[in-house]
């Protein structure tokens, strides 16, 4: 079997203050057919896994594009078109193919393209024809569109948030593709629009149980896969929102019936599944009242993994104003502050203006007297099943045992080694603030006395009922108590 593999992934916050340009992708590397060899432990880790799995089973692999970047605004049109066309050239050159397996995001938006994944898949379909199976793995914060459904044979998304199951879903997709090529199955997909916008944490009930409920259908009576795409709340495109889809072996009525059944069950859980959030001062009060430590505070609204700038100062300002000690906060994306610290060197004592530079949702800069404790070039952190780059990083210490992590590559905090890899300690701290929405949970929950999701001001509002959509339908929960549903 001859299989083309590729990866093109970013999550677009259409409300973000700045677009996604070529440089955003270049920070993580843009690879044309060699990511699995040149960057096997960072950008190319997924393609290396696919290549190893496929070649281990005796298949021929054609590796195409590998490109990824942190979420921000719409990708510049030419940047998207150039990357898309690179994949299309590789598809044409590789013909005849037996299958295509892709890792995409599902919420990538470019200038002139509200559905980049659908556009790419439709063009691949035109090239390979109707008989070559196309399989796609998506992030669960995807916009599952009709063009995607029509263009691919099998689409599945991650089931877990944080996304700890990317490898498992890749294996699942691969097995179905092999069966497609062999003629053993004919995937048929039915999808239900849940008419909901939100965040669903699968690390706690009832969503933990709902994931198991979805999986209970798989592998029985012709059900190949069940996916719940949470949607990306800050992507304003016509087909945004939570979708649930079921893939069966050529049995559309069964797929539709199960999808509707599960969508009804999810709807009945809506109040229980609201993502918890706490105000800044309430979160600090809770941390101070907790014996031992640390208490981990998720700075949800400034999560660069959702397109925020990662330089907001609202939590930092309250920590300073309230004279809270024994705290770690990060990671702040502040290139100017990093350069000043690098020029000054480790041990330097200085006045530093930090954060608050990218816009109104960043807050005002904070002026601190700090000591530069460490400078690490090309810093990295553990990121679920891989590692991710943080660029040149600086650790500074302010008064009262307050420690700050500054990074030159904008990205959310995934692993504890984002801090400990710089030399910081966490177990002796009262508060650890991470600029992340949920992906930090896998690494930080085991060390935390409590995990608190903070509803601070910022670019990623958690008030889903009032997000100022202009393109998507406004008939959704929680904006509307009983949106029209067909199940």
């Amino acid at each position: 079997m001859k299989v083309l593999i590729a990866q093109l992934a970013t999550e677009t916050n259409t409300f973000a203050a700045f677009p996604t340009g070529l440089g955003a992708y270049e920070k993580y590397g843009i690879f044309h057919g060699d990511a699995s060899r040149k960057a096997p432990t960072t950008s190319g880790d997924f393609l290396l896994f696919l290549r190893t799995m496929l070649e281990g089973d005796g298949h021929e692999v054609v590796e195409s594009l590998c490109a990824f970047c942190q979420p921000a605004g719409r990708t510049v049109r030419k940047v998207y078109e150039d990357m898309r066309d690179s994949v299309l050239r590789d598809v044409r050159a590789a013909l005849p193919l037996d299958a295509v397996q892709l890792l995409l995001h599902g919420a990538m938006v470019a200038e002139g393209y509200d559905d980049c994944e659908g556009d790419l898949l439709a063009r691949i379909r035109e090239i390979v024809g109707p008989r070559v199976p196309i399989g796609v793995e998506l992030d669960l914060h995807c916009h599952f569109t009709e063009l995607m459904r029509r263009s691919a044979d099998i689409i599945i998304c991650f089931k877990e948030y944080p996304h700890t199951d990317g490898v498992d879903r890749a294996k699942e997709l691969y097995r179905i593709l092999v069966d497609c090529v062999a003629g053993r199955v004919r995937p048929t997909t039915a999808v239900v629009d849940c008419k909901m916008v939100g965040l669903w944490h699968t690390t706690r009930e009832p969503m933990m149980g709902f994931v198991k409920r979805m999986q209970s259908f798989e592998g029985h009576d012709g059900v190949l896969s069940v996916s719940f795409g949470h949607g990306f709340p800050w992507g304003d495109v016509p087909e945004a929102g939570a979708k649930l889809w079921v893939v069966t072996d050529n049995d559309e009525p069964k797929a539709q019936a199960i999808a509707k059944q599960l969508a009804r069950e999810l709807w009945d859980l809506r109040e229980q599944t609201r993502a918890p959030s706490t105000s800044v001062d309430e979160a600090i009060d809770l941390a101070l009242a907790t014996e031992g430590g640390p208490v981990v505070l998720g700075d949800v609204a400034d999560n660069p993994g959702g397109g925020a700038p990662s330089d907001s100062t609202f939590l930092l300002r309250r920590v300073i104003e309230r004279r809270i000690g024994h705290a770690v906060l990060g990671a702040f994306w502040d290139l100017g502050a990093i350069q000043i610290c690098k020029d000054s060197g480790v041990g330097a004592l200085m006045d530093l203006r930090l954060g608050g530079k990218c816009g109104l949702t960043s807050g005002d800069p904070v002026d601190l007297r700090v000591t530069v404790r460490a400078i690490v070039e090309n810093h990295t952190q553990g990121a679920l099943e891989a590692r991710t780059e943080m660029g040149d990083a600086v650790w500074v210490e302010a008064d009262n045992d307050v420690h700050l992590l500054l990074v030159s590559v904008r990205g959310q905090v995934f692993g504890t080694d984002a801090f400990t890899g710089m030399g910081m300690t966490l177990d002796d701290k009262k508060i650890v603030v991470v600029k992340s929405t949920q992906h930090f949970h896998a690494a930080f929950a085991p060390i935390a006395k409590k995990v608190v999701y903070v509803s601070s001001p910022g670019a990623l509002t958690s008030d889903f009922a009032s997000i100022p959509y202009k393109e998507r339908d406004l008939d959704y929960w929680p904006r509307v108590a009983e949106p029209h549903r067909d199940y």
Side-chain angles (χ1 to χ4, degrees):
M1 188 168 81
K2 185 179 181 183
V3 185
L4 181 135
I5 62 175
Q7 174 180 350
L8 174 57
T10 192
E11 182 178 63
T12 302
N13 184 328
T14 59
F15 302 102
F18 46 90
T20 303
L22 182 63
Y25 293 92
E26 289 176 334
K27 282 186 175 65
Y28 292 90
I30 302 173
F31 300 91
H32 297 276
D34 57 3
S36 64
R37 295 181 175 89
K38 286 188 174 179
T41 61
T42 52
S43 301
D45 63 312
F46 179 79
L47 294 188
L48 174 62
F49 167 75
L50 279 186
R51 175 183 284 279
T52 302
M53 180 172 63
L54 287 160
E55 291 181 341
D57 286 347
H59 303 304
E60 179 184 354
V61 175
V62 178
E63 184 176 332
S64 182
L65 177 77
C66 176
F68 161 84
C69 75
Q70 283 295 323
R74 291 174 182 264
T75 292
V76 173
R77 183 176 190 132
K78 185 178 187 304
V79 173
Y80 164 65
E81 291 178 340
D82 285 350
M83 291 191 293
R84 176 200 66 192
D85 293 347
S86 173
V87 176
L88 299 181
R89 284 193 299 272
D90 289 344
V91 172
R92 292 189 188 95
L95 293 176
L97 285 165
D98 296 299
V100 176
Q101 182 164 351
L102 306 174
L103 176 64
L104 307 176
H105 186 282
M108 180 180 183
V109 183
E111 296 169 348
Y113 298 91
D114 283 340
D115 177 14
C116 291
E117 290 85 357
D119 175 65
L120 173 63
L121 291 170
R123 292 170 188 269
I124 292 175
R125 176 59 72 198
E126 290 176 0
I127 295 170
V128 302
R131 298 183 183 276
V132 175
I134 300 173
V136 185
E137 181 176 358
L138 299 178
D139 188 295
L140 59 73
H141 293 114
C142 57
H143 310 306
F144 187 85
T145 70
E146 177 60 19
L147 184 57
M148 291 183 206
R149 190 193 67 81
R150 290 199 313 265
S151 302
D153 294 89
I154 172 75
I155 300 177
I156 64 174
C157 72
F158 306 150
K159 288 181 169 65
E160 301 290 350
Y161 183 37
H163 309 328
T164 56
D165 62 330
V167 168
D168 290 339
R169 301 288 76 76
K171 292 177 180 177
E172 174 187 339
L173 178 60
Y174 165 65
R175 288 192 296 267
I176 297 172
L177 279 175
V178 169
D179 287 343
C180 283
V181 174
R184 291 188 288 267
V185 299
R186 184 180 173 188
T188 301
T189 300
V191 59
V192 171
D193 185 346
C194 300
K195 295 286 187 178
M196 302 168 77
V197 172
L199 295 175
W200 288 270
H201 297 166
T202 64
T203 51
R204 60 188 180 91
E205 295 294 357
M207 286 308 298
M208 188 182 296
F210 187 76
V211 170
K212 293 177 182 176
R213 172 71 170 151
M214 291 194 301
Q215 291 175 314
S216 72
F217 287 91
E218 297 176 327
H220 308 288
D221 303 321
V223 178
L224 303 178
S225 180
V226 179
S227 292
F228 171 43
H230 298 195
F232 184 56
W234 303 281
D236 185 12
V237 293
E239 293 181 80
K243 308 276 179 68
L244 199 149
W245 66 93
V246 175
V247 185
T248 60
D249 181 11
N250 198 29
D251 191 340
E252 186 172 355
K254 178 176 287 183
Q256 191 67 44
I258 295 174
K260 287 184 176 182
Q261 177 182 340
L262 287 170
R264 280 194 298 270
E265 293 177 16
L266 179 69
W267 173 256
D268 291 340
L269 296 172
R270 64 193 181 280
E271 293 296 341
Q272 300 173 54
T273 60
R274 285 181 184 265
S277 64
T278 310
S279 72
V280 171
D281 282 305
E282 287 172 340
I284 293 174
D285 290 342
L286 183 58
L288 295 177
T290 302
E291 292 294 328
V295 173
V296 177
L297 308 183
D299 191 359
V300 173
D302 197 33
N303 172 25
S310 198
D311 77 334
S312 84
T313 57
F314 301 104
L315 263 165
L316 171 61
R317 183 173 296 281
R318 291 303 291 149
V319 166
I320 300 301
E321 288 174 346
R322 294 184 57 174
R323 301 183 183 278
I324 307 299
H326 313 298
V328 170
L329 302 91
F332 290 88
W333 184 55
D334 192 325
L335 302 180
I338 288 173
Q339 190 61 52
I340 291 170
C341 292
K342 288 174 66 177
D343 291 344
S344 302
V346 174
L349 178 65
M350 70 181 82
D351 293 318
L352 186 69
R353 175 161 286 190
L354 179 66
K357 295 180 174 65
C358 289
L360 294 176
T361 58
S362 299
D364 295 324
V366 171
D367 294 309
L368 296 171
R369 186 74 168 167
V370 302
T371 301
V372 179
R373 293 300 184 196
I375 299 170
V376 175
E377 294 184 355
N378 302 316
H379 184 39
T380 65
Q381 63 171 330
L384 302 178
E385 297 169 328
R387 294 200 68 78
T388 187
E389 299 172 5
M390 307 188 84
D392 292 346
V394 173
W395 162 23
V396 297
E397 181 180 357
D399 291 340
N400 209 19
D401 193 35
V402 172
H403 303 263
L404 309 172
L405 172 63
L406 287 58
V407 296
S408 61
V409 173
R410 187 175 62 91
Q412 67 181 301
V413 171
F414 288 96
T416 54
D417 56 343
F419 299 108
T420 60
M422 298 290 296
M424 300 184 212
T425 57
L426 301 178
D427 57 354
D428 59 339
K429 299 300 184 292
K430 192 68 178 175
I431 294 174
V432 175
V433 175
V434 292
K435 290 183 179 293
S436 177
T437 299
Q438 173 69 350
H439 286 321
F440 71 90
H441 192 281
F444 283 85
I447 71 162
K449 291 293 183 181
K450 282 188 175 69
V451 173
V452 181
Y453 301 91
V454 184
S455 182
S456 61
L460 302 182
T461 176
S462 56
D463 182 3
F464 301 119
S466 62
I467 296 177
Y469 295 122
K470 295 182 179 178
E471 300 298 326
R472 69 147 295 150
D473 183 2
L474 298 181
D475 186 26
Y476 69 86
W477 181 89
R479 183 185 288 263
V480 176
E482 292 286 341
H484 171 71
R485 290 173 285 115
D486 60 354
Y487 52 90

